[in-house]
Amino acid sequence: MREELIVSGRMNPHIDPQLQIWEWHIPAYLFLGGLAAGILFFASYFYIKGKSEEYPTAVKLAPIFTPLLIGLGLLFLLLDLKHKLYFWRLYTAFKIESPMSWGAWTLMAIMPLSAIWAAFNIKSLFPKWDWKFDIVKDAIKVLEEYKTPIAWAIMILSVILGIYTGILLSAFNARPLWNTSILGPLFLVSGMSTGAAAIIILSKSKVERHTFAKIDLLLIAIELFLIIHMFMGFRASSQVQIDASAMFLGGQFTAPFWVLVVGMGLVIPAALEILEMRHKKIPYMVAPVLVLFGGLLFRFIMAYAGQMSRWLY
Amino acid sequence: MRYAMAVDTKKCVGCSDCVVACQTENNVPIGYCRDWIVEVTDGTYPQLELEHRSERCNHCENSPCVRCCPTGASHYSDGGTVMVTKNKCIGCGACIASCPYDARYTHPEGYVDKCTFCLHRVKKGQQPACVAVCPTKCMYFGDLDDPNSDVSRVIKKRKYKTLIPEAGTNPQLYFLI
Amino acid sequence: MGKNRRDFIKISALGAAGLVAGTRYLMAQNQIVIPENPKGPWRMPHDLVRTPTYCEVCFWKCAGWTYKNDAGQIQKIIGNDDDPNSNGRFCPRGTGGVGMYYDEDRLKTPLIRVKGADGKQTFKEASWDEAFDFIQKKIEKVIEEHGPECLALFTHGSGGTYFGNLLKSLGSQNITAPSYAQCRGPREVGFIATFGEGLSSPEPTDIRDSKCMVLIGSHIGENMHNGHVQEMSDAIDKGATIITVDPRFSTAASKSKYWLPIKPSTDLALLMAWIHVLIYEERYDKKYVEQYTFGFEQLKEHVKHMTPEWAYGITTIKPQVIRETAREMSYASPATIVHPGRHVTWYGDDTQRLRAVAILNALLGSWGRRGGFYIPDKAKVPGVPHPPYPKPRRTWRDAMGGKYELADLALANGVCDATIPSATMDCSIKAWIVNGTNLIETLPNRPKTMEAINALDLMVVVDTMPMEITGYADVVLPECTYLERYDSLRVTQHREPTISLRMPAMKPKYDSKPAWWMAKNLAERLGKGEYFPFDSIEEELDYQLKKVDSSLEEMQRIGVKKLPRAYDDLYYKDGEEIEFNTNTGKIELYSTSLEEYGFDPMPKYTAHPEPPAGYYRLIYGRAPMHTFSRTANNPNLTDLMDENTVWVNPKVAKEWGLKNGQEVYLQNQDNVVSTFPIKVRVTERIRWDSVYMVHGFGHANKKLSRAFGRGASDSELITNVMMDPIMGGTGMRGNFITFRFNKA
Ligand SMILES: Nc1nc2c(c(=O)[nH]1)N[C@H]1C(S)=C(S)[C@@H](COP(=O)(O)OP(=O)(O)OC[C@H]3O[C@@H](n4cnc5c(=O)[nH]c(N)nc54)[C@H](O)[C@@H]3O)O[C@H]1N2
Ligand SMILES: Nc1nc2c(c(=O)[nH]1)N[C@H]1C(S)=C(S)[C@@H](COP(=O)(O)OP(=O)(O)OC[C@H]3O[C@@H](n4cnc5c(=O)[nH]c(N)nc54)[C@H](O)[C@@H]3O)O[C@H]1N2
Ligand code: SF4
Ligand code: SF4
Ligand code: SF4
Ligand code: SF4
Ligand code: SF4
Ligand SMILES: [Mo]
C-alpha cells in the first residue's frame, strides 16, 4: 500500500484540502465577458458589412446592453479580489504574459467603446432620448465621424476579449484540465454562440432571427468539434490530463457536463434550430435560452473542475 | 547569484519544527502555513520505505506565478527568489491557480503570501528560520552559483530530485534521496 | 457525603472574585524584572528584545531566548547556541512554546470548590489570600490530626523545587514524579544494579560519535528529546549503523539499516539471544569484560540455550538477522550504544529488560567509552542555607508492605496506593499538592487514581491550564507559564556542566503567579518561612550564582554558562582502575543486589499474555509536535496536529471494514470504552496484532477549547497494569482493544 499524507501545515483556506480560490465570480465574469464579446463582434461585423438596417438588433439594440454586461463582469471580478483596495494596481502595470493583465486592459478599452457604440444607437432606438448636456451631444457628433474605425476597433477587441476568457484558464499549466490551447478558441466560439443567442432573444425580425440561428448552428457545430477534440487531446496526453479528463468521462462531472452542457446547452438547441429552420412550430425563445444557460454552466463546470485537477507528486 | 534549498529526506523526521518556526518568524497566522510536511510510505509490512519531505515554494526559475501576475506584485528578487509585494497584490488568485505546488495562500488581510526564503534574514547573513531551527540539520540553503555554499556542496555529493520537473517550472528546492 | 466526594468540575467560576482582603500575608511580592529598555544588553538582530529562558514544554529543558517584537509581544523562542541540550535549535514543541503563553483557555484566577445552593459542586473564583487561607487551614488540620507525613506532593516540572522544599520543611518525604514509576524508573534500577549508577537526564549517550546505535522501542525522531534527535542525525551523516527494534515502522526505523519488526512484549528474548551471540561467537570486548565485570561465567552458562533459533520462535525475528545485527554491534564496539530508552514501563519485567540492555552494553565495552556512554558532569550550585529538615516518622514506603525497596525514588502509584485507606495501615495520606502533572491522563488504572482522590481531605492543584486534574481539586492555583517567571536554575548533567537561567519575558497574564511565590507564601503562613530565606527569587538566584562565580546580571545577559568539569576525562582511560558503585565494585553481569532482594540475578524471558481473537495490543508513543497532554490545547501546536488517530494495519482494516478517517470507539479487555471516538489511520506502519496511538489526546474538559474531544485517550484504556516486582514500575502495554462502531 502506498500512503501519502500531509503531516502538518497545509490547512490554508481555499487551497486545502483542494483548491477553491475561485468561486462563482470568475465563471460568471467569464460568461459575461464572452457574451459581451459575442454581441459586440456581431454588431461591429455587420455594421462594417453595411448590414445595419438588415440586422438592427445585432448592430443597434443588443450592444446597448454590453456596457452593462461588461460593467457587471468587472464588478464580479472586483468582488472576487481579496485585496480590493489595491484594485487600481491592475492599471499601473501592463504584463504581456499575464492574461489577467491584458484581459483587464482589454476590458478597460472595450468598455468605453461599447458605451460609445450604445450612445450612437440609443437615439435611433428611442427617438425621445435626450442627452441633456450639449457637450455630450457634441462629443457624439465628433465621434460619429470615426464610426467605422471604432467598429473595427470593437471587432478586434471583441475577438481578443472572447479568446481571453478561455486563455485566462488555459494559461495555467498547473491545472491540467485547463492547460489546453483549445480552451481559447472554444471559449471564443462559445461566447459568440451566447452572443448570437442573445440577439435571437432580443430580435423582433424573423429574418434576423433566422440568420442568427444559422450562425449559432455553425458555432455549436464548431464547439462540439472542439470539445471532442479537447477530450481526445487529454486522453492522448500525460497522466495528469488523463486524470483530469476522467472527471468528465465517468467521474463526478460526467452527468452535469454531458447531459446539461452538451445535451441541453448544445445538442438540443441545435436540433431545435434545425427544426425551426424547417419551419416546425417551435417557440423561438427556447433554443437561445438553452444556449445561454449551457454557456453559463460550461464556465462554472470548467472553473470548478479545473481547480480540482492537479499534478501528482 | 541563485538561491536554492536542499532537504535531506534521509534525515528529516517530519517533526514540523520548520513549520512552526516559519510561522513565528514570519507572522504567518495560525491556520496558515508557508511550509508543510509530506510523509510517503511505500510497501507492505515489514518491507517498507518512508520518505519525509519539508516542502515550500520552490522559487521556480521559470515561475508561472510571476508570469501570470497582472500587477507585477509577484516578481523575481535577489538570487532568483520569487517574492510578492504586498501593496501591489490585488488578491486575484491567478498566481495561486498557477502554482503546481499549491505553495501560496491568501493572507487574511487579502494579499497573497508564501515562502520568501527568509530573505530578510539571509540579507543579514543568517539562515532561513526553518533551516536554522531544524533539529536534524537536514536543510541546506545557499547560493548555487557559489560552489562552496552548503547547498552546492551537498547537491554535488548526493543524489537528488525536484518535484514535478515535468511542469517545467525549474524548481529550486532539491530533495536529497 | 455522596458516592463521590469530589464531582468533576469543569472549571467555570461561580460568582465574582472576592475583593482582595488586604495583603497582610502576601509577602515577597512578585517583583519581576523584565527588560523593557530596548537599549539593554538584550537588543539583538531583528530589533527584537530577547531574554533567556529554558524550555518547560518537556523535561529535556533546552535553554534558549524569548524574543519580543516592537509591540512588546512574544514573537518567537529560539535555542541558545551555548546550550548543549539544544545547540541553538529548539524542537517543534519548544518553538511552539509561545502558544503556552497565548492560550486564552489558561487558568486565570485561584479557584475554590464550593457547594452551591442546589447541592451542586462548583468553583468559586478567589483571591490568592482566600485560597491560601483555605489551604493553610486544611493543611494545619491534617498535620494536627494525622501528622505531616500524611501530606504528599506530585510534581513534574520546575516549580517542584519549591513545593518540595515546602513539604520537606513540614516533615514529609512523600514527593513523587510520574517520570519515575511511569517512565524511566526501571531503567535507572536496571543500570544501577549493573553499573552502580543510573542514567538520569539528559542520558549520557555519546550518540554523535557512535558508529552503531540500537534503538529498542525508543522512537527518537518522534520522541523529540532534542539532543538525541540532533546527535542521531549527526551519526547518520557519519554513516553510523542504526538498528531499530519496534513492532511499528517508526520514523527511526525508517532511517535505520536494520529494522527488526518484533512481536511486542518479546524484546527480552531478543536481547538474551544477542548476548548469546556476542558470548558464543566471542565477539564481546574481552579485555573490558575481564577487567571490569563480575559474573561473566555465570552469564555464559545462563544464556547457553538462549540461541537466535530459540528467540526466533518468540520474537519472529529470523536467527540470521539476530546474528547479523549482533555482529554489527561488535564491529563498531566500543562505539556502540544499545540505547536504554526512556519510557520503559512496558510489561512489568522492565527492570530485567533494562538489565539485559545494560549487560549488552557492558559486553560491548561501551560504558564509559567514546561513541558509547560518556561520563557526564553536573555543576554543584549550593542553595541558600536553611535549617535542616525535620525527619518524618513514616513515608509512603510503609504502605508498600516491604515491596519495591529497590526503587531509588518515590513511586507516584505508590503514593496513590498509600492514599487509599487500608486495614493494614495506621494512617493513609490525606492531602495532595499536585504541581504540573495531569494525573488523570498520566497514571494508568484511572479507577484507582479516582479512589485515592476521593479519599483525600485536600487536593491542591497547581497548573497553568484547566486540565482534567484541576476538575478534582479543592483549590486550583493558576501558575504563570515559564515565559512569565523566574525559576530555580537549570543544573543538568552533560559533557560539560552548565547552568542556565529562566527569566520572565512578560509579566504574568491574568492573576497567575509563579510556583516559588506560592510555596514561599504557604511556608510563611505555616510557620516555615525560615526554609525560604530570601525575599524574592532574584535574591536567591543571585546568591546561588555568585557562589559559582557568576551573577544574576551575567546570566540575564548570557542565559547559559559552561562551568569547568570536575572529572578530567569524558571517557575511561585505557586500562584505568575503576571502582563501580556495586557490591562487588565491578560491573555486575550477575547482580548480587537483585539476588539479595530475592530477584533473578540475571534476566530471564517470560512470556506475556497475548491479545485474544478480535483484540489488538494497544501500544502508544509520542508525536513530535506534542508533549503528553500538556500541549494538546496549545494553539501553535494544535495547528500542526489537533488529534490522534488509531493506526491499523490494512489487513485488520479489511477484516473490520475500516476506512481511513472513519471514527470508531475503542474498547479494552476490561470493557472500558473510550469516551470519544477516534479516527482510523489505515497504514502499513503497524503490525497486524497491534494498534498504535499517540498519547495525550482525548481531553474531557470542555474548557480546553481546542483539545476537547479531539481523538481518544490511551490512558483511560490502560486499566491492566503490569507491575514491575523489583521497583514498582507500572507496565502499561498489556492492554488489548477491539473496535466498536457506536458508544452504547
Ligand atoms: N497512557 C500513558 N501514560 C503515560 C505515558 C504514556 O505514554 N501513556 N507516559 C508517561 C511518561 S513517560 C511520563 S514522563 C508522564 C508525564 O506525565 P505528566 O508530566 O503528568 O504529563 P502531562 O500530561 O504533560 O501533564 C503536565 C501537566 O502540567 C501542566 N503544566 C504545564 N506547564 C506547567 C507549568 O509551567 N506549571 C505548572 N504548574 N503546570 C504546568 C499541564 O497543564 C499538565 O496538566 O506520563 C506517563 N504516563
Ligand atoms: N515529542 C515528544 N517527545 C518526547 C515526549 C513527548 O511527550 N513528546 N516525552 C519524553 C519522555 S518523558 C519520554 S519518557 C520519552 C519516551 O520515548 P521513548 O523512550 O522513545 O518511548 P517509548 O514510549 O518507550 O517507545 C514508544 C515506541 O515503542 C514501540 N513499542 C511498543 N511496544 C513495543 C514492544 O513491545 N517492543 C518494542 N521494541 N517496541 C515497542 C512503539 O511502537 C513506539 O515506537 O519521550 C520523550 N520525548
Ligand atoms: S524541522 Fe527538519 S526534521 Fe523537522 S520536519 Fe522540518 S525539515 Fe524535517
Ligand atoms: S513554487 Fe509556486 S509559488 Fe513558488 S515560484 Fe514556483 S510556481 Fe511560484
Ligand atoms: S494574487 Fe496578487 S500576487 Fe497573485 S497574481 Fe494576483 S496580484 Fe499577483
Ligand atoms: S525559508 Fe523562511 S519563509 Fe520559507 S519556509 Fe523557511 S522559514 Fe518559511
Ligand atoms: S526538547 Fe523541545 S520541548 Fe523539550 S525542552 Fe527541548 S525544546 Fe523544549
Ligand atoms: Mo517520561
Side-chain angles (χ1 to χ4, degrees), chain C residues 565-629:
Chain C
R565 270 182 78 95
Y567 309 90
D568 57 345
D569 216 345
L570 206 52
Y571 311 108
Y572 297 155
K573 288 187 205 65
D574 206 28
E576 181 182 347
E577 285 283 316
I578 298 151
E579 164 108 21
F580 293 88
N581 189 21
T582 55
N583 291 338
T584 56
K586 301 255 180 200
I587 299 174
E588 295 199 348
L589 305 178
Y590 182 99
S591 168
T592 55
S593 64
L594 286 179
E595 190 175 39
E596 218 174 282
Y597 282 89
F599 300 109
D600 293 335
M602 288 174 296
K604 275 192 203 132
Y605 168 76
T606 42
H608 296 299
E610 288 186 29
Y615 281 80
Y616 305 88
R617 188 181 295 276
L618 173 66
I619 59 182
Y620 53 80
R622 315 274 174 250
M625 321 73 172
H626 283 281
T627 304
F628 315 117
S629 61

Side-chain angles (χ1 to χ4, degrees), chain B residues 9-12 15 17 23-25 27 31 39 43 45-46 48 50 124 126 131-137, chain C residues 46 75-76 89-92 95 230 233-234 237 247 249 254-255 259 261 625 639 681 684-685 687-688:
Chain B
T9 63
K10 296 280 181 240
K11 286 202 293 176
C12 171
C15 70
D17 204 357
Q23 287 172 322
T24 58
E25 172 73 29
N27 293 315
E39 175 190 305
Y45 191 98
L48 291 168
L50 191 146
K124 288 184 199 149
Q126 297 172 314
V131 176
V133 82
C134 175
T136 66
K137 288 169 248 166
Chain C
H46 302 296
Q75 174 86 28
K76 58 180 178 181
R89 293 163 186 260
F90 267 17
C91 90
T95 308
Q230 295 187 14
S233 185
D234 294 343
D237 251 356
F249 190 55
S254 78
K255 312 284 172 202
W259 169 41
M625 321 73 172
D639 201 34
R681 171 180 177 189
E684 294 282 0
R685 292 181 63 188
R687 266 174 80 100
W688 52 86

Side-chain angles (χ1 to χ4, degrees), chain B residues 103-122:
Chain B
R104 297 172 162 245
Y105 68 91
T106 315
H107 190 280
E109 282 168 28
Y111 57 88
V112 162
D113 191 43
K114 66 166 200 63
C115 166
T116 58
F117 266 172
C118 284
L119 225 50
H120 66 290
R121 289 173 61 94
V122 173

Side-chain angles (χ1 to χ4, degrees), chain B residues 65 68-71 73-74 84 88-96 104 112:
Chain B
C65 58
C68 73
C69 176
T71 64
S74 283
V84 183
K88 271 194 187 172
C89 173
I90 61 174
C92 66
C95 54
I96 290 180
R104 297 172 162 245
V112 162

Side-chain angles (χ1 to χ4, degrees), chain C residues 268 272 275 279 294-303 306 352-353 355-356 359 588-592 594-595 599-605:
Chain C
L268 194 42
M272 297 314 286
I275 294 175
I279 293 181
F294 168 81
F296 179 75
E297 289 308 321
Q298 287 103 312
L299 179 67
K300 185 169 177 179
E301 184 54 29
H302 178 69
V303 299
M306 302 180 183
Q352 290 292 12
R353 189 181 68 251
R355 269 273 296 153
I359 291 170
E588 295 199 348
L589 305 178
Y590 182 99
S591 168
T592 55
L594 286 179
E595 190 175 39
F599 300 109
D600 293 335
M602 288 174 296
K604 275 192 203 132
Y605 168 76

Side-chain angles (χ1 to χ4, degrees), chain A residues 289-300:
Chain A
V289 166
L290 284 177
V291 167
L292 284 174
F293 159 80
L296 183 63
L297 194 65
F298 179 41
R299 283 161 183 78
F300 269 90

